[in-house]
Every structure is written in structure tokens, then in C-alpha cells.
Amino acid sequence: MTGAEPTGGRVMSWAGAPGSRTAGAGGTGGTGGGEPGPAAPVTAAPAAPGTPVTPVTPVTADRAGGDLARRATADPLYRLVAYALEAAHGRPPAAVWSAPYAFHLGSPGLVAAAGWPTAAAAAPRTDGLVRLSSLGHPADSCDLPLTLSGPPPAAPAWAVRPYAVLRALARAGYGPGGTDLHVQGSLTGAAGLATAEPTDCAVALAVADVHTATGEPPDRERLARLLAGVLPDGDDGLRRAVLFARPGRALLLSARPGRRRRHVAFDPAASGARLVLVAVRGEAADRPRDLARAVACARRAGALSAWPPGPGPEPGRSVLVLLPEARLAAVRAAVAEDFRDRGRPVPRFLNIAVAGAARREE
């Protein structure tokens, strides 16, 4: 095998977490996806920015994601995240959210979501503490005071960004009393897709959900603006794909502030094509040459087009390849043979479904 492939309805991601994928943020099948649906949030309404904030009262887990870990029909990734929060922090989650990885298309301003998710489980607190954990960093869980101003407390490197998001959410009225949070992705950076933006969105949605009045879904537009403000170095196009994508559609971003979003058809599977992420391995200095070689081999074997998943033309560690479904085996074989013959690590292939936006996992 040269990548993660389905086996008996389950997949093993490059991050090592098993999970069958469902539609929406989850992937290629099942019943979810489509427009971001209403969540079932749970506690006090957020205060307006600039107004005093007060802690919320924790909710009982049976109103939300507390039994997800023990639900046999739930996606294994979400069961794992729910269980991991309970194991790490001694209490079940009040909500679990999934958020898809996202990518740019070859045309300017076009983004879409991939059928591989990251997930966040959250439970509200009232003591001004945030407790952060991740299966990707099992030795680096941390308990931190939630301060709304001044220098942030020292934290493990992986937790710095989630803490910044939690702090900004608290200033906006979401969770000033603190939160228990666990995050986990189905892919690592080795896949070549951006990991920060889907994690940011999953964290923001999960935390906003457990600190929003019952029956009111988190305000995605407000959260998008909040994330853009606190993380100006992030990719706002990818964030909007995570928050507003639709299955089988690409999101066309407008350069004009306040202009309505547009979705355009982009469903390779519906036209007998496949979208595949090809990620090269080895030293960073060798990746541009290896990517160019992989693309050339893929084109000779029948690929239609290829482009980097990031916003610019500069090569990273992966490339998206569009090809006729009938040529998938031939393209994989041609690329693998070329790299083996040269003694180079064989690139990994990952099937990409065009998925829907982040959603609450029930």
C-alpha cells in the first residue's frame, strides 16, 4: 500500500487513528453533510463583546456528547475523542464537533473541504481553568488559568494555539469560566493538508456550543471573524471552507467584504473522476523535485491536472491530482515504480472526497 486505503469499512489514517468516514465533515458515505445543520448547544447565552462576562453552569453530559464514547453506531474517531476527554479530565464531553480538512483548488478564490475530519470534545467549567489534551501529544496535557488579558501562561507548543482560541472565545463571552478540551485529527502534517485551520474551527465550534443558549447553534460568521482576528497568520479561505462547505461543491470566495458566498459544482466522483492527494516523503530539500517528478509520472499515466493544496504556487509536501477513475491504478503504479527504481521513498496516496462543513456529532 502507498497510502491510507479503506479496509472493510474502516480506514487507518496517517495519524494512526482508526475510523470509518461518514459524509459532511466525516467523508464519503453515510447520511450527514450538506448545509451546516443546527446544533443542540447547551448553556448560557454569550455576552456581547466588551460587556462583563460571567461563568456558565456545566450541563449534564446526557444532553449532548456524553454517551458518544459508548455508542456502537458512532464513528470510531468521535467515540475515541469523547472517551479520551473523559479519561484525561474525569468527565464526559458536553459536545463533540468534527471539522474537515480543507484545500485550495487550482483557480484563485476556490476552496473545498476534504472528507477527512479533525475532532474536538468540550465540557464547560466554572473555575477559570482550561484543561487541554490531545492523543497526538499524550505526554503534554496541561491545566492552565484562563486569563483574558496580559501575557498567556507557559504551555506546551501544541497547546499555544488552542489556548489563544479559548482566550479569544472567553473575551467574546464564550466560556469565561473555563473549558475541558480534547482534540484529535485523522491526519497529521505528513499528509500535506493544513492541520491548523480545521483544528481552530473544531475548537471554536465545540467551545461556543457548550457555552451557547440551548437551541441556538454557534454563530459561524462570528466565529470566522473571531478566528481571523486572533490568528491573522491563518488561512481565512480554508477556515471558511471548514465552516461553510457543501458536499460536492467548492466555495467561491469573494474579495468584496460582505458579499454573499457562492458554491459551485465540484464533484469528481459524479463525473467518473477521482481526486487524490499525493504526498512525498524524505528531506524537505528534495520535496520540490520529487513532487515535480510524481506529477510528471501521473500525467504520463493519464492524470488530467495537478495543483498544490495550499494557497500559493510554491510546492509543499503534497499535490492534488485529478484523474479519470479508470486510470487510478495505472497512475499509482507508474508513480510507485518510478520512485522505487530510483531508490526514493514511494509517495503516499490519499483518496479525497469533496465533503461538507464542520458539524456537531450526535
Side-chain angles (χ1 to χ4, degrees), residues 2-5 14 101-104 114-116 186-195 266 268 274-281 291 294-295 298 305-310 316-323 328 331-332 335 346-354:
T2 54
E5 287 298 321
W14 299 345
Y101 294 85
F103 57 91
H104 289 262
W116 293 85
S186 56
L187 302 175
T188 68
L193 294 178
T195 59
F266 179 62
R274 295 289 287 271
L275 184 64
V276 178
L277 184 73
V278 181
V280 297
R281 297 180 283 173
L291 278 176
V295 169
S305 60
W307 66 92
R317 65 189 313 152
S318 66
V319 64
L320 286 161
V321 177
L322 185 66
L323 66 160
L328 177 60
V331 167
R332 291 178 60 131
V335 173
V346 174
R348 290 171 166 174
F349 288 73
L350 190 72
N351 294 329
I352 300 294
V354 181

Side-chain angles (χ1 to χ4, degrees), residues 83-108:
Y83 177 79
L85 182 134
E86 186 171 356
H89 305 305
R91 53 202 298 253
V96 174
W97 278 75
S98 65
Y101 294 85
F103 57 91
H104 289 262
L105 278 72
S107 301

Side-chain angles (χ1 to χ4, degrees), residues 15-297:
S20 59
R21 299 274 67 83
T22 55
T28 61
T31 58
E35 285 292 309
V42 285
T43 53
T51 62
V53 292
T54 56
V56 297
T57 301
V59 298
T60 55
D62 60 358
R63 290 182 57 189
D67 66 340
L68 195 61
R70 296 163 183 83
R71 194 178 307 152
T73 57
D75 185 296
L77 174 63
Y78 311 138
R79 293 177 66 189
L80 182 63
V81 170
Y83 177 79
L85 182 134
E86 186 171 356
H89 305 305
R91 53 202 298 253
V96 174
W97 278 75
S98 65
Y101 294 85
F103 57 91
H104 289 262
L105 278 72
S107 301
L110 274 177
V111 291
W116 293 85
T118 191
R125 301 184 63 85
T126 59
D127 58 1
L129 191 68
V130 295
R131 302 193 296 183
L132 308 178
S133 57
S134 170
L135 287 174
H137 306 273
D140 289 320
S141 299
C142 56
D143 296 2
L144 304 172
L146 181 56
T147 59
L148 302 188
S149 61
W158 79 268
V160 170
R161 193 173 180 113
Y163 182 85
V165 173
L166 286 168
R167 200 182 202 194
L169 288 166
R171 285 196 292 259
Y174 297 111
T179 303
D180 288 340
L181 180 72
H182 186 91
V183 296
Q184 176 63 23
S186 56
L187 302 175
T188 68
L193 294 178
T195 59
E197 284 77 12
T199 302
D200 298 339
C201 292
V203 167
L205 287 162
V207 174
D209 186 359
V210 302
H211 294 287
T212 298
T214 302
E216 295 181 12
D219 186 335
R220 295 180 185 232
E221 280 288 358
R222 186 185 183 200
L223 293 179
R225 294 192 298 269
L226 184 149
L227 291 172
V230 72
L231 301 168
D233 59 330
D235 188 319
D236 193 57
L238 293 183
R239 276 193 293 256
R240 290 189 171 271
V242 173
L243 292 170
F244 302 109
R246 298 179 186 174
R249 312 283 286 181
L251 178 63
L252 180 59
L253 303 171
S254 173
R256 301 181 187 177
R259 188 171 180 179
R260 185 180 178 84
R261 290 182 303 275
R262 288 180 54 201
H263 292 85
V264 297
F266 179 62
D267 190 356
S271 58
R274 295 289 287 271
L275 184 64
V276 178
L277 184 73
V278 181
V280 297
R281 297 180 283 173
E283 298 298 324
D286 298 328
R287 289 174 194 155
R289 182 169 57 252
D290 282 347
L291 278 176
R293 184 88 178 215
V295 169
C297 290

